[in-house]
Amino acid sequence: MKTKRKTNWQPILEGDLKERALKAVIDIAQVLQNDPPGPLPKGVEDLPEAQTLFKVALAGGWPGYSLFYSYGARAFPDDDDEEIAAEFLSQTIQSISKQRLNFSLYGGYTGVAWTLEHLREQLVDESEEDLNADIDESLKEHLSQSPWLADYDLIGGLVGYGVYALERLPRSSAKEILELIAERLDETATRNADGIAWHTHPSLLPDWQRKICPDGYYNLGLAHGIPGIIALLGGMCANGVAVEKARPLLNGSVNWLLKQKLIGSKWSSFTTWKAEGLERDEAHLAWCYGDAGLSAALFCAARAVGEKAWEEEALNIIRRAALRPFEEAGTRDVGICHGAAGLAHIFNRFYQATHENIFKEAATRWFERVLEMRVHKDGIAGFAAFHVEDDLQTPCWTAEPGLLEGAAGVALALLGAITDVEPNWDRMLLLSIPS
């Protein structure tokens, strides 16, 4: 397919900044085409199939590359990006049949299936069989477990499964999956005077978080917490699926969330986690945690169900975030998850949805910051991801090619800033704000 798709989306970068952004996208594309190895996730390094497990993950491997090249093809139809995208998708499909994966959106079967569904019109022959039909049946069986003792979050749990199911609508199997997710969310919800929330059991936490919160916590981040549920429930209501359960859960969870706002904080409206005896510090500013991702989730839900009061709450939060200086944001690297590209993209999303100049200005500043961070000679086209070693103190920089923390995500965000192709790939991030 070589047809450029027009939307109401408008590029925001101009002049030299646009040229630098385009050059970065081209350079990333040249590197990713050679399929560079990325850092292996902790805990799988010794497995013989470790590199393939990493490569089939939406967060860090071939599905993310396929998304990048497919959107590149939409923006620049004369290039051969579509063939490269199809090849990476084909490699993914061939490889997952030989692996035992979990169902997680960012690291398992539903991430591959989401990518296949999202790119179906562009890359998949409609005459072919529905390759996701078996995933749907297996996922329905998985979601029939009650009581639900596993994660509820976007990265690896119920919310991530819901993102996949929303992409599959209006198929009957997708509706059934969403109905099961609503049942699991309903039965695992905590109800109190503040509203409705979901507690994360300590057994689901990494060791370092369990030491801080031995009884578990309530998570306020989009990636692992209650804002992800809010965005998903809004999507269910907007599509008329499981509304009898989803709408009361949505109302109660928004009420709970807004009652968690920090009083008298300098820069942040919300903390990261809530737990008994835990000091409620300001959160850093990012997609995964903090006001940027949280406000986007709330805004998406507000637009989905027409709640103007929620929308204004979300706008007040993100307007404050737009004024937060770089040095106060806690942003160390460039990736979508917790870096500058993720923030730039969120502010761009808010600008496209509202046309408020405060968001265009913030997005432009953060995109400029992205390009200023292109300084790592051992990175991917100059971009690197910041991590800490297992001691949680020793810093290190890694060449991360993937979508969530690496160069593919940076390139996708930059494409959304310099072209008129709407970046609907960000539905996997729960960021596709209705205009």
Side-chain angles (χ1 to χ4, degrees), residues 16 29 57 65 69 94 118 141 154 177 202 216 225 240 256 268 274 278 287 293 324 328 340 355 372 411 415:
D16 177 66
Y65 304 171
Y69 285 104
Q94 292 173 25
H118 187 71
E141 182 179 355
L154 169 61
I177 289 168
W256 182 91
S268 181
K274 178 181 180 180
L278 183 67
W287 167 78
R324 193 167 174 175
E328 298 289 345
H355 301 291
E372 289 171 352
L415 275 175

Side-chain angles (χ1 to χ4, degrees), residues 268-297:
S268 181
S269 297
F270 289 88
T271 189
T272 303
W273 317 316
K274 178 181 180 180
E276 191 69 31
L278 183 67
E279 185 177 350
R280 301 181 70 194
D281 295 331
E282 293 192 352
H284 64 276
L285 189 62
W287 167 78
C288 55
Y289 284 104
D291 294 349
L294 183 152
S295 61

